[in-house]
Amino acid sequence: MAVYLGIDIGTSGTKTLAMEESGKILASATVEYPLYSPKPGWSEQDPQDWWLATIKSVKQVLKQGKIKKEDVKGLGLSGQMHGSVFLDKNQEVIRPALLWNDQRTAAECDEIESKAGGRKKLIKLVANPALTGFTAPKILWLRNNEPRNYARTKQILLPKDYVRFRLTGEFATEVSDASGTLLLDVKKRCWSNKLLGLLEIDTDLLPQVYESEEVSGTLHSEAAKLLDLLEGTPVVGGGGDQAAGAVGNAIVKRGVISATLGTSGVVFAHSDDVEIDPEGRVHTFCHAVRGKWHVMGVVLSAGGSLQWYRNQLGEDAVREARKQKVDPYEIITRQAAEAEPGSEGLYFLPYLAGERTPHADPHARGAWVGLSLRHGRPHLIRALMEGATYAMRDCLEIIKGMNVPVNEIRVSGGGARSEFWRQMQADIYGQSVCTINAEEGPAYGVALLAAAGTGAYKDVVEACTATISVKSTTKPVAKVKRTYNKLYPMYGQLYKSLKSDYRTIQENL
Ligand code: ADP
């Protein structure tokens, strides 16, 4: 039997999964760890916690699945992107890692833009604008604020690549995660010596870059002993959590898109060429598929908007759900279904935490617009769900405008659990949406990469085709689709009308 392990170093915990060559999941386990916020806007973790959670979760999975060590033919690594681990000359961690959601680097983003010769030139070099979460601004922050620590730094690693170092002793990364550092020449799939030069960052600080399914090293004896695995077991490149999650959803062909409506929303499209939005509204990164790329739009509060409603205004639904022993979202979506599509002119703007795509505006705020005496609770909820779904459509529209075809939309995340919300997505996107038979996300994706990279499949596309298939398809209802098509443009207008007011209100607080 051939078994592949996928290890995903997430923000709340490390999830390890064991997969048979056929794609069947044998076992999975998650081990959690804390997140530290020593100052407002700071977000840090101890890399040692990731390593300990890796050991623990791998051992749990081997035990739970009764897996023999000689059957494990390969390991794949995924994880939260953009984080930064700083190591000294003895390969010890210098300070806690700064994470993807850390917000301390606004000044360094400006510094990068100016050193690169402006936003447009930066996007030309590395395909993306500087965002506070990315790795490059974190490196500059260390240099500007903790110069002694910076002087001691000999190696900088992303979260999953730190775990790779502990497993194999190699300093290595792969193209999909490296894209999120802002230091990769995304087109050529190697470090951008040009930008590194402009920022005066020594290339030797960065690990070697592999393709995602390439073997980047093998388990050394000490790690093998700790994990209860065989020395020499290959570890493939793996992928950043978004690219790895897309592999786990089989988003590995031109025209296939995923729309994940979870707390945040992500629209992810495979692309055969580097397609760059000159305004930088969507990310353009290397895909975990050899020689391919992806573009990705992010809605900060998609399902999160409905969660806010449930927590703040949904006591009646929560009570009723307890009585009926169902999920409160089921009651809430039933209430929404009482209102007509379009919510009788009521709109909701889902910018409860600012927005990333398409507006990249931290000052944007949420709103119901167009309230009248006719509106009741069903309209409030339906409009909210429509607003979150229009935001997802905004991402789709940008992607379509970038020469990336959208032939098949695969929906996932909490929002896809509801038939009502799946139908609304089909009606608002204006095309069929489908679900697939795999729901395990990034850990599954990197287990597939491990299978492909160690020879069980020709490549990751073949691995996905062999293991993942469509489970259900929801078609749009022609009349409702027409209604939403008519209403959608006004949604975009409302943001523009309110934009300057949001800012003024916050400045006057
Ligand atoms: P996360 O993104 O935090 O990992 P999920 O993918 O489970 O979490 O998404 C959670 C969101 O999905 C909730 O905030 C809610 O908006 C939505 N959701 C979850 N279950 C349902 C449901 N049964 N019906 C409608 N929406 C749901």
Side-chain angles (χ1 to χ4, degrees):
M1 183 160 76
V3 177
Y4 301 91
L5 299 186
I7 303 170
D8 175 23
I9 315 296
T11 313
S12 53
T14 287
K15 171 176 171 176
T16 295
L17 163 155
M19 180 196 87
E20 234 176 48
E21 187 176 324
S22 64
K24 186 178 154 201
I25 294 164
L26 299 172
S28 83
T30 301
V31 174
E32 298 195 343
Y33 31 68
L35 181 133
Y36 303 101
S37 186
K39 291 189 186 177
W42 289 27
S43 180
E44 300 183 346
Q45 263 171 346
D46 181 356
Q48 178 71 5
D49 286 345
W50 302 331
W51 175 233
L52 295 177
T54 301
I55 299 173
K56 209 167 161 186
S57 58
V58 167
K59 286 172 101 165
Q60 278 182 19
V61 158
L62 295 177
K63 195 168 162 206
Q64 196 187 316
K66 299 194 177 72
I67 296 160
K68 286 192 256 153
K69 59 171 98 175
E70 53 276 17
D71 288 341
V72 177
K73 305 295 184 207
L75 268 64
L77 292 166
S78 178
Q80 42 173 311
M81 294 177 71
H82 316 301
S84 52
V85 183
F86 302 103
L87 300 185
D88 68 11
K89 65 176 189 318
N90 301 318
Q91 303 168 341
E92 298 289 339
V93 172
I94 290 176
R95 70 172 325 288
L98 278 63
L99 304 192
W100 60 276
N101 52 357
D102 192 290
Q103 293 297 334
R104 78 186 74 175
T105 62
E108 283 74 22
C109 288
D110 293 343
E111 184 183 340
I112 291 172
E113 241 182 63
S114 108
K115 285 192 167 146
R119 187 180 155 95
K120 272 200 186 136
K121 285 201 176 133
L122 179 64
I123 293 177
K124 249 195 167 153
L125 285 174
V126 287
N128 299 281
L131 295 183
T132 46
F134 287 0
T135 319
K138 294 179 166 72
I139 299 174
L140 266 56
W141 181 91
L142 192 77
R143 183 163 73 191
N144 293 340
N145 295 276
E146 297 180 355
R148 261 195 249 154
N149 278 342
Y150 187 74
R152 285 171 58 209
T153 300
K154 293 287 175 259
Q155 185 67 216
I156 302 168
L157 294 172
L158 290 157
K160 77 168 192 321
D161 299 324
Y162 173 72
V163 171
R164 181 193 322 277
F165 163 66
R166 299 295 301 262
L167 291 168
T168 64
E170 304 287 340
F171 290 130
T173 187
E174 49 66 52
V175 288
S176 70
D177 216 0
S179 301
T181 61
L182 199 74
L183 296 170
L184 195 81
D185 181 330
V186 170
K187 191 167 183 182
K188 296 196 182 124
R189 306 169 89 87
C190 60
W191 295 121
S192 166
N193 286 327
K194 179 99 190 275
L195 185 60
L196 286 164
L198 292 169
L199 300 179
E200 295 166 79
I201 297 174
D202 189 348
T203 318
D204 290 344
L205 293 175
L206 301 174
Q208 187 171 346
V209 185
Y210 288 85
E211 285 291 329
S212 305
E213 61 185 46
E214 272 184 290
V215 175
S216 63
T218 57
L219 279 190
H220 58 57
S221 63
E222 191 199 336
K225 243 183 253 152
L226 285 169
L227 266 64
D228 249 339
L229 290 171
L230 287 185
E231 183 182 348
T233 308
V235 179
V236 302
D241 54 6
Q242 293 298 336
V247 170
N249 266 333
I251 310 299
V252 293
K253 281 185 194 160
R254 188 174 156 82
V256 185
I257 310 287
S258 67
T260 307
L261 216 164
T263 303
S264 56
V266 175
V267 178
F268 182 109
H270 172 100
S271 71
D272 283 342
D273 295 305
V274 202
E275 302 291 352
I276 297 172
D277 174 34
E279 293 175 53
R281 293 169 299 176
V282 290
H283 301 329
T284 298
F285 289 165
C286 296
H287 199 349
V289 181
R290 196 184 281 267
K292 306 291 181 187
W293 289 267
H294 72 78
V295 289
M296 182 173 85
V298 179
V299 173
L300 292 179
S301 302
S305 295
L306 196 65
Q307 187 182 22
W308 167 82
Y309 173 89
R310 182 198 66 185
N311 295 348
Q312 304 304 326
L313 301 167
E315 296 122 81
D316 64 318
V318 172
R319 225 177 299 121
E320 187 57 29
R322 225 175 276 138
K323 242 198 272 166
Q324 295 189 27
K325 296 201 170 66
V326 294
D327 188 315
Y329 288 122
E330 223 172 274
I331 306 288
I332 291 172
T333 47
R334 257 186 248 158
Q335 291 173 328
E338 289 169 29
E340 291 294 312
S343 306
E344 297 195 40
L346 186 63
Y347 281 89
F348 180 79
L349 305 182
Y351 312 128
L352 302 181
E355 192 51 295
R356 181 86 68 83
T357 309
H359 306 303
D361 180 358
H363 297 284
R365 287 295 174 265
W368 271 290
V369 184
L371 273 169
S372 76
L373 291 171
R374 289 177 57 79
H375 293 129
R377 197 183 285 274
H379 301 92
L380 290 176
I381 306 169
R382 181 161 196 137
L384 182 148
M385 295 174 73
E386 288 170 345
T389 316
Y390 288 145
M392 299 288 283
R393 176 164 167 180
D394 278 346
C395 299
L396 272 176
E397 294 292 332
I398 295 174
I399 289 171
K400 283 182 185 167
M402 290 170 72
N403 203 17
V404 178
V406 179
N407 302 333
E408 185 183 325
I409 302 177
R410 296 189 171 172
V411 289
S412 60
R417 252 173 256 149
S418 146
E419 200 184 324
F420 177 72
W421 212 341
R422 286 203 302 274
Q423 184 64 56
M424 183 184 283
Q425 289 190 72
D427 295 336
I428 288 183
Y429 303 156
Q431 61 191 92
S432 296
V433 300
C434 56
T435 57
I436 54 162
N437 63 343
E439 288 170 358
E440 295 287 345
Y444 191 62
V446 288
L448 287 169
L449 281 164
T454 54
Y457 295 99
K458 183 177 80 172
D459 55 24
V460 70
V461 178
E462 190 187 83
C464 289
T465 315
T467 54
I468 298 170
S469 55
V470 169
K471 197 166 81 179
S472 76
T473 302
T474 308
K475 289 186 184 150
V477 176
K479 187 166 160 246
V480 183
K481 174 176 152 179
R482 276 198 301 277
T483 303
Y484 283 133
N485 256 340
K486 243 192 296 169
L487 296 172
Y488 170 67
M490 180 53 75
Y491 166 82
Q493 283 305 319
L494 289 173
Y495 166 78
K496 288 186 194 136
S497 313
L498 289 167
K499 184 175 155 65
S500 59
D501 297 334
Y502 293 137
R503 219 192 159 117
T504 315
I505 291 166
Q506 284 162 64
E507 281 164 2
N508 287 340
L509 278 177

